[in-house]
């Protein structure tokens, strides 16, 4: 029998949240002057309609737990296996970290600019992400593993991204976040017996926030058309692949989580890719050919390589280090081959916004 390395203390949870690996969620900072200079007048009508939605705040009462929540945790979640418990807790920690990452970035931008349109938008998005992070953190607190978000903000490393990288990466992570949450919600809506924790009930209204955040970045990018053509298309391809590959590898290291929901990690990921690719046509002139056999084989290889890296790390010592370096080279080569695969091209629609119809 294998023993499960359980995250057992708040310190271990904090260490997990602070991790800076290729796969862990990061905290970002950017060029505030450039953010201040964004001019939304070319898309004013769509912008104002979106801001009215933020103002309406239809989720203001959503992120509160009811009595049923605690009951379900004690009756249903207490029954799960130690392996599933471990994967679920890790899932909560990475989720709270990425929600909080958005909260910090939007809040920092908001504090450092005076452009009224962007300032108002960033304030609304920080509001939403802070609710999301706080809501997940409550579930970690149920197990005595609540993260000290203030401490995390002070001590986790920050990555500087130029505004255009923020737009590509954040747009994608919002839309993929939507696709992930809605796919899980629909699966558990159809199979309520597989809902092993009450938090999944909250995902439907929750993911509409993420969808709207993505819409905001889509509109911002459409105000700067040069970001969506020419050499920048190479960056778009890079971010599409980086975001998809990270998700694929991370999800495949948590097979129990999906299995417990009645999902296969590979099928789940491709469903999420399909939804994200469909949505991202609103703003990206290319999408990855996710059905290409070489794409699928490459993703699988990236996962195998990650397993090799984990084994080498566990082994440690000089041999472990050399093995890790070998796997890293293999990983970079696989990523490069995936990057060079042909992509699908699309013309951008006149109307930017799409509806969360999944
Ligand atoms: Fe969020
Ligand atoms: Fe979001």
């Amino acid at each position: 029998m294998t023993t499960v390395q359980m995250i057992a203390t708040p310190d271990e949870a904090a260490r997990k949240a602070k991790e800076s690996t290729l796969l862990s969620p990061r905290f970002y900072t950017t060029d505030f002057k450039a953010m201040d200079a964004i001019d939304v007048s070319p898309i004013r009508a769509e912008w104002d309609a979106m801001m009215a939605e933020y103002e309406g705040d239809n989720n203001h009462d959503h992120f509160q737990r009811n009595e049923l929540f605690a009951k379900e945790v004690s009756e249903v979640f207490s029954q799960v296996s130690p392996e599933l418990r471990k994967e679920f807790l890790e899932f909560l920690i990475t989720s709270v970290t990425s929600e909080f990452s958005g909260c910090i970035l939007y809040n920092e931008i908001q504090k450092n600019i005076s452009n009224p349109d962007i300032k108002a938008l960033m304030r609304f998005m920080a509001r939403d992400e802070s609710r999301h992070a706080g809501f997940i953190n409550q579930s970690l607190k149920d197990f005595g593993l609540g993260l000290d978000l203030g401490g995390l903000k002070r001590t986790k490393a920050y990555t500087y991204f130029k505004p255009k990288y923020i737009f590509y990466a954040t747009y994608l992570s919002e839309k993929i976040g939507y696709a992930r949450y809605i796919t899980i919600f629909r699966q558990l809506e159809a199979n309520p017996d597989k809902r092993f924790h009450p938090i999944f009930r909250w995902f439907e209204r929750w993911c509409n926030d993420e969808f709207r955040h993505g819409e905001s970045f889509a509109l911002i990018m459409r105000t700067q058309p040069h970001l969506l053509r020419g050499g920048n298309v190479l960056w778009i391809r890079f971010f599409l692949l980086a975001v998809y590959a990270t998700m694929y590898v991370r999800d495949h290291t948590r097979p129990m989580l999906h299995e417990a929901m009645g999902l296969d990690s590979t099928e789940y990921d491709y469903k999420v890719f399909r939804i994200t690719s469909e949505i991202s046509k609103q703003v990206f002139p290319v999408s990855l050919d996710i059905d290409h056999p070489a794409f699928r084989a490459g993703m699988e290889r990236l996962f195998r390589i990650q397993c090799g890296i984990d084994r080498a790390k566990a082994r440690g010592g000089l041999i472990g280090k050399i093995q890790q370096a070998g796997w890293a080279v293999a990983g970079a080569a696989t990523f490069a081959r995936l990057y060079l695969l042909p992509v699908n091209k699309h013309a951008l629609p006149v109307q930017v916004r799409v509806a969360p119809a999944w």
Side-chain angles (χ1 to χ4, degrees):
M1 202 175 129
T2 54
T3 50
V4 183
Q5 280 287 322
M6 196 66 77
I7 296 170
T9 67
D11 281 352
E12 279 168 43
R15 209 172 310 128
K16 183 98 197 135
K18 244 192 275 183
E19 263 177 12
S20 254
T21 65
L22 267 178
L23 294 178
S24 51
R26 287 165 184 266
F27 285 2
Y28 296 98
T29 178
T30 190
D31 174 355
F32 301 122
K33 266 207 187 110
M35 289 287 174
D36 219 5
I38 296 169
D39 175 13
V40 301
S41 44
I43 41 98
R44 175 56 74 185
E46 286 182 282
W47 182 270
D48 287 346
M50 177 185 73
M51 293 307 278
E53 290 172 22
Y54 279 114
E55 199 108 27
D57 196 7
N58 56 4
N59 270 347
H60 69 97
D61 58 349
H62 182 55
F63 295 98
Q64 279 152 26
R65 312 205 311 183
N66 49 26
E67 316 79 66
L68 257 176
F69 198 104
K71 192 165 171 273
E72 244 179 279
V73 173
S74 70
E75 283 173 7
V76 184
F77 190 71
S78 61
Q79 307 294 317
V80 308
S81 70
E83 291 84 1
L84 176 56
R85 187 186 165 92
K86 173 181 186 278
E87 287 187 14
F88 180 68
L89 291 177
E90 287 184 5
F91 166 77
L92 291 183
I93 292 169
T94 43
S95 301
V96 87
T97 312
S98 55
E99 296 282 7
F100 192 54
S101 158
C103 177
I104 292 178
L105 174 68
Y106 303 151
N107 203 32
E108 286 301 304
I109 296 174
Q110 180 267 119
K111 279 199 309 206
N112 285 285
I113 63 171
S114 50
N115 177 328
D117 293 312
I118 305 301
K119 201 175 176 77
L121 168 69
M122 294 295 159
R123 198 180 288 132
F124 284 133
M125 293 199 296
R127 168 198 75 191
D128 295 346
E129 303 300 15
S130 131
R131 283 177 189 157
H132 301 166
F135 190 72
I136 304 174
N137 210 18
Q138 277 184 301
S139 281
L140 280 169
K141 284 178 188 157
D142 291 341
F143 309 104
L145 297 176
L147 290 176
D148 164 18
L149 295 179
L152 194 60
K153 181 176 181 213
R154 281 191 306 276
T155 54
K156 190 171 162 78
Y158 285 74
T159 304
Y160 175 86
F161 259 14
K162 278 192 206 183
K164 70 174 176 184
Y165 303 149
I166 293 278
F167 300 152
Y168 303 142
T170 313
Y171 168 77
L172 272 172
S173 79
E174 296 288 2
K175 289 304 189 188
I176 216 165
Y178 162 80
R180 290 170 64 78
Y181 285 3
I182 198 64
T183 303
I184 289 177
F185 183 84
R186 296 279 175 244
Q187 168 71 10
L188 298 180
E189 187 181 36
N191 303 278
D193 58 307
K194 304 235 186 290
R195 195 190 295 117
F196 59 83
H197 191 281
I199 200 165
F200 301 120
R201 286 183 196 280
W202 267 256
F203 276 21
E204 187 182 31
R205 282 173 61 185
W206 186 327
C207 73
N208 290 326
D209 285 349
E210 312 303 4
F211 194 91
R212 191 174 297 120
H213 301 164
E215 293 291 285
S216 310
F217 286 105
L219 288 176
I220 288 177
M221 285 190 275
R222 291 291 292 264
T223 68
Q224 303 172 54
H226 69 280
L227 295 182
L228 305 174
R229 60 185 181 223
N232 279 324
V233 175
L234 297 174
W235 282 112
I236 292 172
R237 285 173 65 169
F238 172 82
F239 279 99
L240 277 167
L241 182 59
V243 169
Y244 285 12
T246 308
M247 170 178 146
Y248 190 93
V249 173
R250 199 196 281 159
D251 279 352
H252 282 74
T253 57
R254 292 179 193 142
M256 307 290 294
L257 192 65
H258 301 112
E259 202 189 296
M261 297 178 195
L263 288 165
D264 167 77
S265 299
T266 303
E267 272 171 42
Y268 168 68
D269 281 8
Y270 279 94
K271 192 160 195 178
V272 169
F273 293 162
R274 212 170 298 289
I275 294 173
T276 310
S277 297
E278 198 51 48
I279 298 171
S280 67
K281 287 179 188 165
Q282 72 179 163
V283 72
F284 291 158
V286 289
S287 61
L288 303 183
D289 185 2
I290 56 173
D291 293 315
H292 196 298
F295 180 86
R296 292 184 166 243
M299 287 297 210
E300 202 44 40
R301 178 149 171 75
L302 284 179
F303 170 57
R304 301 279 157 228
I305 289 170
Q306 182 60 41
C307 296
I309 291 176
D310 291 342
R311 277 196 309 274
K313 265 190 195 154
R315 175 181 183 132
L318 182 63
I319 304 221
K321 280 249 166 355
I322 293 169
Q323 284 176 337
Q324 260 192 72
W327 285 118
V329 171
T334 307
F335 189 90
R337 269 203 303 279
L338 278 163
Y339 183 78
L340 294 171
L341 288 176
V343 292
N344 304 316
K345 298 194 166 77
H346 325 276
L348 297 185
V350 178
Q351 194 201 327
V352 183
R353 295 207 54 195
V354 292
W358 285 269

